Amino acid sequence: MPAYKRILLKLSGEALMGEDSYGINRGTIVRMVREVQEITNLGCQVAVVIGGGNIFRGVAGGSVGMDRATADYMGMLATVMNSLALADTMRQEGMTARVMSAISIEQVVEPYVRPKALQYLEEGKIVVFAAGTGNPFFTTDTAAALRGAEVGAEVVLKATKVDGVYSADPNKDPTATRYSTIAFDEAIARNLQVMDATAFALCRDQKLPIRVFSINKPGALKRVVLGEDEGTLVHV
């Protein structure tokens, strides 16, 4: 039985690139979708927030000097593209996903409505939240914390390239050690970069734990959901 009934999975857009410099790597997105399918087969209800960095990276050169709010809206549109790709891959793998956007693009995806999202989750559908919070100056980390709190997720699973939170950058310091668990206040005191400050504060205030793990590690998502010692748990 899964340790968590309902989760919010936060994926970075960069995680979809695989070995590519930008865009979506087909093999990578299929592998991730199959890992999500494994945990839904265990009875876990899954909501997803995905970033747009992989798409936005392809146009980043032209955004130099651009107004921050305009660039953020472009980033939101990139998350919509990723969300559509993720949902379509899920469909091809025999799953049912619904994309809900924080900004109105009703010809493409349905708007985010909390009761409808909760209904979809109860029905066993995957809910992919697109367009962040719908506001500039807020990251998709903050969107993950916000949506996780709104839908009653038991944990935010932050999928990264690193298999947890370390005492220092493991790529630069070979003596860096991984925390199995760490309290929010200790993470703040040690200045550990778990999420952006707004998202981190929201999770702490809502007593919503964060589990940081590597999405590139085969089977890691399933082990996290089963409550095994995978990644780092940040808790109150």
Side-chain angles (χ1 to χ4, degrees):
M1 292 293 292
Y4 304 109
K5 173 68 174 177
R6 182 176 294 170
I7 67 165
L8 189 294
L9 176 62
K10 169 60 173 66
L11 291 170
S12 69
E14 287 82 354
L16 299 183
M17 296 191 305
E19 299 300 319
D20 300 337
S21 56
Y22 61 89
I24 298 171
N25 181 282
R26 176 67 184 170
T28 299
I29 194 171
V30 169
R31 176 183 60 79
M32 289 182 183
V33 163
R34 288 176 179 170
E35 294 210 6
V36 172
Q37 189 172 38
E38 279 191 318
I39 64 172
T40 59
N41 289 341
L42 294 173
C44 190
Q45 297 175 1
V46 182
V48 182
V49 169
I50 189 165
N54 59 314
I55 302 295
F56 194 69
R57 181 175 297 190
V59 296
S63 67
V64 175
M66 185 180 292
D67 177 79
R68 168 64 190 274
T70 300
D72 281 356
Y73 280 117
M74 290 173 66
M76 289 179 215
L77 294 176
T79 72
V80 175
M81 294 168 69
N82 278 340
S83 297
L84 288 170
L86 190 67
D88 186 69
T89 306
M90 288 177 173
R91 178 189 61 79
Q92 293 182 40
E93 293 296 319
M95 305 162 68
T96 304
R98 294 288 183 268
V99 179
M100 307 187 86
S101 173
I103 57 178
S104 181
I105 325 175
E106 293 190 38
Q107 293 91 335
V108 182
V109 293
E110 61 183 290
Y112 168 66
V113 179
R114 180 175 174 269
K116 194 70 174 177
L118 291 169
Q119 178 186 329
Y120 287 151
L121 289 170
E122 292 289 347
E123 292 171 351
K125 297 179 175 71
I126 311 294
V127 181
V128 185
F129 296 120
T133 66
N135 302 286
F137 308 107
F138 291 96
T139 68
T140 49
D141 274 355
T142 300
L146 177 62
R147 297 291 182 247
E150 285 184 306
V151 302
E154 297 164 81
V155 65
V156 172
L157 302 184
K158 179 166 172 135
T160 70
K161 295 181 179 179
V162 183
D163 64 341
V165 178
Y166 281 76
S167 56
D169 187 342
N171 295 318
K172 299 177 181 178
D173 185 353
T175 65
T177 56
R178 178 180 67 86
Y179 296 99
S180 178
T181 65
I182 189 169
F184 280 101
D185 290 342
E186 184 179 354
I188 292 172
R190 293 180 179 273
N191 197 31
L192 300 175
Q193 302 301 311
V194 179
M195 278 185 162
D196 75 73
T198 304
F200 197 73
L202 180 55
C203 286
R204 181 191 61 187
D205 293 347
Q206 296 302 314
K207 298 180 172 56
L208 180 59
I210 305 165
R211 173 76 73 169
V212 182
F213 72 104
S214 173
I215 193 63
N216 296 325
K217 194 173 176 182
L221 177 58
K222 184 177 180 180
R223 288 192 292 275
V224 166
V225 167
L226 290 175
E228 298 179 19
D229 181 20
E230 184 70 50
T232 301
L233 179 68
V234 187
H235 58 90
V236 176

